[in-house]
Amino acid sequence: MGRLSGKVAVITGAGSGMGRATAELFAAEDATVAVTDLSVESGKKTTAAIEASGGRVRFWQMDVSSEPDVAQTYAEIGAEYGTIDILVNCAGVIGPDKPTHELSEREWDALFDVDVKGVFFSTKHALPYMMSKQAGSIINFSSIYGLAGNDEFTAYHVAKGAVAMMTKQDAAIYGRHNIRVNSVHPSTVLTPLVEGIANEFPGGMDEYEKVNTANQSIRRLGRPLDVAYGVLYLASDESSWVTGVNLPIDGGFMAR
């Protein structure tokens, strides 16, 4: 018996990176996993990897920024499995590296449509299943920069701050239904996207890691599985008295 036996988990952005690592770990812990991603190719790769390991999984293509698409997808997942026990809101985009005075309205809205409204839509359409059985766990992906500011990627960091606050608000509201809502806040993690950036960095991966861990107490970059294990704890019954928590998984960045 795994730590998630008997649970149905929906994971957005599960086609790659931390979303894929979470989906694979959940399946290994005996959850039934609904993999969702905008990319069919990436989503099917995750699904194939889980199937090859003997896991229970199905893929749905879904655009988290479209409420009609989200509503239809969750209706299909509910019809397929009868319930939704766990929701992991991992889908997100980074957007342009611009300060406030250089951002256009279109750039701002495009990022918030995915990183904030995407969390809102998925949470909204998963909640009725959880409320009907008076149980559930929602884990939102934010960032250390949802808790602290810096001089880069303004729109992304503000969006992640909104996710941190949405986590606390929903935790305060839905605890009466025994629904827990928590968020994870990674620092730099070696996802495929970050690996590509690091390999193009002057000095390569070693220099990129040195620069990006200078403010951490553990001087290495995170791996997707480092974060996935934190998500697993928050999804499992082991954290049944934990809600409204913004959990840094950051090599000690927030400790310094």
Side-chain angles (χ1 to χ4, degrees), residues 174-247:
Y174 296 103
R176 71 196 69 172
H177 299 288
N178 197 34
I179 298 168
R180 300 180 297 104
V181 188
N182 296 286
S183 58
V184 292
H185 297 254
S187 55
T188 306
V189 175
L190 275 174
T191 62
L193 173 64
V194 171
E195 286 183 4
I197 294 170
N199 289 329
E200 297 295 323
F201 195 78
M205 177 67 75
D206 289 345
E207 187 63 21
Y208 182 86
E209 185 164 44
K210 181 179 178 181
V211 169
N212 282 275
T213 62
N215 292 319
Q216 293 178 191
S217 53
I218 299 174
R219 300 296 177 89
R220 73 165 175 84
L221 296 172
R223 271 54 174 181
L225 199 57
D226 293 326
V227 181
Y229 272 111
V231 179
L232 172 62
Y233 166 70
L234 294 171
S236 74
D237 292 339
E238 297 158 16
S239 59
S240 63
W241 208 45
V242 178
T243 195
V245 168
N246 301 140
L247 176 64

Side-chain angles (χ1 to χ4, degrees), residues 128-152:
Y129 295 99
M130 297 179 179
M131 293 170 71
S132 70
K133 62 189 303 183
Q134 294 290 286
S137 179
I138 299 171
I139 303 97
N140 299 323
F141 269 73
S142 181
S143 164
I144 52 171
Y145 295 118
L147 302 173
N150 82 345
D151 60 357
E152 300 176 309

Side-chain angles (χ1 to χ4, degrees), residues 20-31:
R20 175 170 177 168
T22 301
E24 291 178 346
L25 181 60
F26 277 24
E29 291 293 341
D30 209 24

